Amino acid sequence: MDEFLDDVFYITRCCQLVEEKSQFGKAKNWKNSDFINLSERISKASNISISPDTLKRLFGKVKTHRTYNPQLETKNALAIFLNYKNWEDFKNQYSKNAESKSVSEPKFPFSPEKKEAEPRSNVKTKHTKTKITIISFSLLCFILFLVIIIRPDERDVENKKNASSKVLFGAKNLKLKSQNTVLFTYDISNVLSDSIVIDYGFSHFGFREYDYLPKSQQTISYYYNFPGLYLAKIMDHKKQLAALPVEITSRGWEYGVYTNDNHLVVLDSNDVKNSFSEGKSYISPALLESKGLISNWLEVANIRDFGIDGDDFTLETRVKNSFDEGGSNCLETILRILGQNNQVRVQFNKQGCERWSILQFGEMLVDGKYSDLSMFNTSIGNWNDLKVELRDKKAKIYLNGTVIYSASYQESLGLIKGIIFDFRGTGSIDYVKLSNKLGHTVYSEEFNIRK
């Protein structure tokens, strides 16, 4: 089970224990006063404020568009209320308890029984039989060792092949405009596991979305409200049984806000028109606050067929992300160029935050935790000119006219399918220009006011 699904499993169990400790009865029958009461009890026990509305989302009283996985402090509060040190302690202790309970125990307590003394003539025979039994058992164990240990690779490959062959996975239409429903078809009737899920392909900013698949059904639908390239997968714990690429194209540039509780809220196109002011794309904190939103990440996406080779292009842009205009934390500013097969990802931060940088060209991934990416620190609160240049699988990154990084990769990106900007908090884009290897402009956007 991947990290997100694993966390959701523990959240479900944690809520069951909180429900039991509250002594309010079944959570589905709780009233508003019960959630207020429980909020006060948890906040008092943990010294961490947790609102009644958060509890309502956790216990399903308030429906959320996506699977609700609250921020860490909320999970810490729940764990402390249950007398654990924190969320990690709850997960570790609960996991240990579950493992200890899974060990089979005798059906009846052992108690010595009185036995009559055996005749001496039977003692030697019994010892001989016991010796033969031990030898036979040892031979059997050795044979099993050879079967299990010597050829694990072939067996694993065969098992995966058999598991995949039991699953049928399809869809009526895998390429749609955003804010559309994809109808998936599946058949998992021959799979032995009863914990099969479909992961809809979200995988960034701690946000994931999935559903358990009932064997009694053969179709399941999902509403993709934001553009992107998604890989929908049928999973059995950590094992991928089948996958389908889903392409959700844009209606121009589209804007989504990832809130602090890992929910994606798509901004209305009429509101977005106001961001095209002064020749730049910008979403103000005031606009978000008027919608009851606080941005953890702002995503600006344009997903379409750009008709250009992802291994031979130049993309130029001008961006900034400042505290004065709504930026937060390390002012992370990410440019992603999506290809059919993989992506280019370049991240800039304020000075001193290179630890959080990630750089990617196709299969080549560089993590600031293990590599020096300090060259990607800049005064991102001011306008910065960025240029990404790829020629025959060789990449160069320019910052304000200077090459700061170069690298090569092996696996082709394929055709360019999307351009995405991600800002921690909010951010501004002055222009975007995409050119082919001959230097001809194939796409440009200056974010002027639209009538």
Side-chain angles (χ1 to χ4, degrees), residues 26-82:
K26 293 294 183 182
K28 64 181 181 180
N29 299 322
W30 288 358
K31 299 178 181 178
N32 185 56
S33 58
D34 295 321
F35 286 103
I36 294 173
N37 189 329
L38 183 58
S39 168
E40 293 173 351
R41 289 172 60 185
I42 294 175
S43 300
K44 182 178 180 180
S46 64
N47 288 322
I48 299 172
S49 178
I50 179 170
S51 71
D53 288 339
T54 297
L55 291 173
K56 288 177 183 179
R57 286 194 291 270
L58 275 166
F59 286 91
K61 202 71 173 180
V62 173
K63 299 299 181 183
T64 56
H65 178 62
R66 304 184 188 280
T67 304
Y68 185 51
N69 186 1
Q71 56 187 327
L72 180 59
E73 279 298 277
T74 297
K75 292 183 280 192
N76 283 337
L78 295 172
I80 294 170
F81 178 69
L82 294 173

Side-chain angles (χ1 to χ4, degrees), residues 114 266 415 438:
K114 294 182 180 180
V266 180
L415 295 176
L438 300 176

